[in-house]
Amino acid sequence: MIESPVADNEIEAVNAMTPALAAIRRVTWETDDTFTLLIDPPLMNGRPFSFRPGQFNMVYAFGLGESAISISSDPAKSNSLAHTIHRVGTVTSALSRLRRGDTIGLRGPFGTAWPLEEAVGKDVCIAAGGIGLAPLRPVIYTLISRRKEFGRIVILYGARSPLDLLYRVELEEWSKVPNTEVIITVDRGDSSWKGHIGVVTALFSYIKMDSPSTIAMVCGPEIMMKYTYEELERRGLSQEQIYISMERNMKCGVGLCGHCQFGPRFICKDGPVFRLPQVRHLLDKKEI
Amino acid sequence: MTSAFRMNPDGLQRLLALLQQMDYETIGPTMSGDAITYDRIASISDLPVGWTDEQAPGIYRLVRGDDREYFGYTLPAQSWKRFLYPPFRKLFSIKKNGKSLELDEAESGTAKYAFIGVRACELSAISIQDKVFNLGEYRDDNYLSLRKKIFVVAVNCSHAGDNCFCTSMKTGPGAKHDFDIALTEILKEGDHYFIAEAGTEAGSAIIEMIGPGKATDDEIAAADNVVRETAAHITKSMDTRGLPELLADNLEHSQWEDVAKRCLTCGNCTMVCPTCFCSTVEDATDLSGQVAERFRRWDSCFTMDFAKVSGGNFRISPKSRYRQWLTHKLSSWVDQFGVSGCVGCGRCIAWCPVGIDLTAEVKAIRGTSVKQEKEV
Ligand SMILES: Cc1cc2nc3c(=O)[nH]c(=O)nc-3n(C[C@H](O)[C@H](O)[C@H](O)COP(=O)(O)OP(=O)(O)OC[C@H]3O[C@@H](n4cnc5c(N)ncnc54)[C@H](O)[C@@H]3O)c2cc1C
Ligand code: SF4
Ligand code: SF4
């Protein structure tokens, strides 16, 4: 009756709140409390699942709810989809009890992606803390498979302890790729640990950066990201060269529930990956 | 007014009956305990005839008005929001079948509503929610499927409430857009009639069926005058010049601490606001553990868990939660949707148990905004 908010021919409805069902192909425990679900990618609204590095899914555990979980697999491999999950509470614990053949619900992929195309021809600095390596793994896969298109690649990674390191075999492989450096640090070492001890930002003193031509991608706890971008700025990177991925409470993942607001931004759809100037002024304020 | 018609109260009854014949569920203002609410109405005798409301910060009270008047109140407690965007709605149910799951998506709303008595500010609120629920790639299908079908009978305001500031927000008191039919109720020297104006073809078709006569120039002038008089009696105002920037620049203003001392973080303001749209989801399983359901429920940025994540809570202090609400309404809403999130209906002022008045908070911040504070 009233000028309709939606033209009828446009109503090829994307009902963002209904999950697609997907079967678990394999569960791999990365550490004591973090595991990777390898999933048969379902059709999403009738289309094959595809995503860009940095995007996430809302992962549904039967009867208990959903969690926003980044996609940690290789975007070039369309026949498998992986989520690496840190068991911290209700939903992630339920997901941790799943076995091969069990079914989960998936909505997605949602959100913005890491700036891969912008990084072409430039050096790339990746800095990850803890589970923050998971959303960056699809970027690393892509950088390596398209190795010639990028300059030097530096991967800085910090975990609580040697036993908390994710993707240990892959970290080793990545460090062997030409012109690629992987530097790891832990908060607390153990008797067998011969590597660095301390925060991720301390690793910057071991690398040389061609600041004007570097793109930095940072993901980890907010405090780690803050120290990291401050350090990057000190080393001459402009805010425009720095990207971070943020976390907030999310119920819908598509900008309808209001929970993830950060000033004018919806972390779910304007992020989670932001170019630093989009959010920097608000990160310095408390309780935004 | 392009073509206006004069309609007697029995014409209003005909309008209701016609809409019902066309399978509309007719919703309008009606008495419910000590308040007027929007609910199903069968005939015009369900309207709050002879009642008006007194509203002030923290106050809503019904008092007798002109015995004949159908629309003599300003605004009911709840808005139309709960019809287009239900407070609680099932999203899907899901059943275990061995290792696999079977999902049954809840159907989108099929109700066909005719809203009777929509105020000008509420028309704006609906058009704001249109933007919220239909922005970008994803949209709320349930909202849109209900929204597409509504028939809107607007009624211009004849009484200015003490909490109203639609003139500041440029949303009222006269209906200008997004209605099928707009009515103005006129009580004059023993005469009682409505001036009806169509806003859509569907609206004019129905007016034709009711068959009222053309309004005279005097009658049209009387209707214009009702709206003009109401506008003249609005006392509350909010200075909206540069308001989004003002609030964005004053996130650390001391007024946030001040209002936090009064605010109970009850969330009433968000529930009654016709544009607030935040929601959460709830999951439940039956006793066998074989069948689960998922629901969406209205939520409020004032609740303790709203910004909780597993590692902590981003908004613990009442200060941060009130600030989130007000800056969202009046500042970041503009960045997100290109319009203010406030239409000036004053509901949040009336239904705040401690009478917090957003216009007063804005005034206090404007009076001592950062730049001026620095000069002190
Ligand atoms: C974009 C994005 C990407 C992410 N990627 C990953 C990833 O790749 N891997 C990973 O491990 N984690 C990731 N996370 C974090 C992950 O979403 C959370 O750790 C997870 O949701 C925790 O869920 P939980 O139920 O196990 O934890 P809980 O601590 O039980 O619950 C956390 C969630 O439930 C809500 N909640 C908690 N208590 C209550 C309560 N009492 N009432 C109401 N609500 C409550 C919180 O608000 C929060 O939404 C990501 C988060 C975001 C936003
Ligand atoms: S913020 Fe208050 S005055 Fe503005 S639209 Fe919402 S309830 Fe009405
Ligand atoms: S402003 Fe008033 S209505 Fe809103 S949360 Fe605070 S006390 Fe409740």
Side-chain angles (χ1 to χ4, degrees), chain B residues 221-278:
Chain B
D224 288 345
N225 200 42
V226 165
V227 174
R228 210 173 313 116
E229 279 289 303
T230 305
H233 281 92
I234 287 174
T235 50
K236 196 177 283 301
S237 67
M238 186 158 74
D239 183 353
T240 59
R241 283 171 307 158
L243 186 52
E245 299 77 19
L246 177 82
L247 294 182
D249 289 346
N250 281 279
L251 295 173
E252 320 272 22
H253 196 283
S254 58
Q255 188 63 21
W256 303 117
E257 297 283 359
D258 188 277
V259 67
K261 290 192 197 115
R262 290 168 278 138
C263 175
L264 312 172
T265 65
C266 67
N268 269 13
C269 46
T270 55
M271 296 292 113
V272 295
C273 178
T275 67
C276 273
F277 62 86
C278 289

Side-chain angles (χ1 to χ4, degrees), chain A residues 19-226:
Chain A
L21 300 176
I24 304 214
R25 199 187 302 159
R26 195 169 70 226
V27 182
T28 311
W29 282 87
E30 308 282 352
T31 71
D32 272 358
D33 58 11
T34 303
F35 56 100
T36 297
L37 297 179
L38 192 68
I39 298 156
D40 292 329
L43 289 178
M44 291 295 199
N45 296 302
R47 283 189 292 272
F49 187 88
S50 76
F51 75 100
R52 293 179 299 144
Q55 290 192 298
F56 66 96
N57 281 327
M58 295 299 288
V59 182
Y60 171 78
F62 178 80
L64 288 171
E66 285 179 326
S67 279
I69 305 288
S70 307
I71 303 166
S72 67
S73 44
D74 186 343
K77 292 194 176 137
S78 58
N79 60 346
S80 63
L81 161 67
H83 284 296
T84 302
I85 303 170
H86 185 200
R87 183 183 60 203
V88 292
T90 316
V91 174
T92 50
S93 297
L95 294 171
S96 77
R97 290 189 292 270
L98 297 173
R99 297 288 170 268
R100 179 196 164 87
D102 285 341
T103 309
I104 55 171
L106 292 177
R107 296 190 293 121
F110 298 136
T112 53
W114 297 106
L116 268 165
E117 295 319 310
E118 195 188 327
V120 169
K122 299 193 175 126
D123 291 354
V124 180
C125 171
I126 285 182
I131 188 74
L133 187 57
L136 284 162
R137 190 166 70 158
V139 176
I140 300 173
Y141 286 139
T142 312
L143 291 173
I144 289 175
S145 73
R146 291 166 51 187
R147 185 68 197 84
K148 288 200 204 79
E149 296 175 46
F150 305 94
R152 219 158 70 87
I153 298 171
V154 179
I155 299 167
L156 310 177
Y157 174 39
R160 275 172 301 175
S161 77
L163 292 177
D164 289 308
L165 291 169
L166 301 176
Y167 316 138
R168 295 183 75 134
V169 175
E170 288 180 307
L171 286 167
E172 189 65 38
E173 287 169 8
W174 296 336
S175 70
K176 292 181 191 134
V177 174
N179 204 11
T180 302
E181 215 172 333
V182 177
I183 314 181
I184 298 169
T185 184
V186 295
D187 296 342
R188 278 171 282 105
D190 58 21
S191 53
S192 65
W193 180 252
K194 305 219 166 50
H196 300 286
I197 293 185
V199 292
V200 175
T201 39
L203 298 178
F204 282 106
S205 53
Y206 300 101
I207 59 164
K208 267 223 210 66
M209 262 193 305
D210 180 12
S211 303
S213 83
T214 297
I215 293 290
M217 308 183 196
V218 185
C219 186
E222 212 153 298
I223 185 76
M224 168 266 175
M225 294 200 288
K226 185 174 158 62

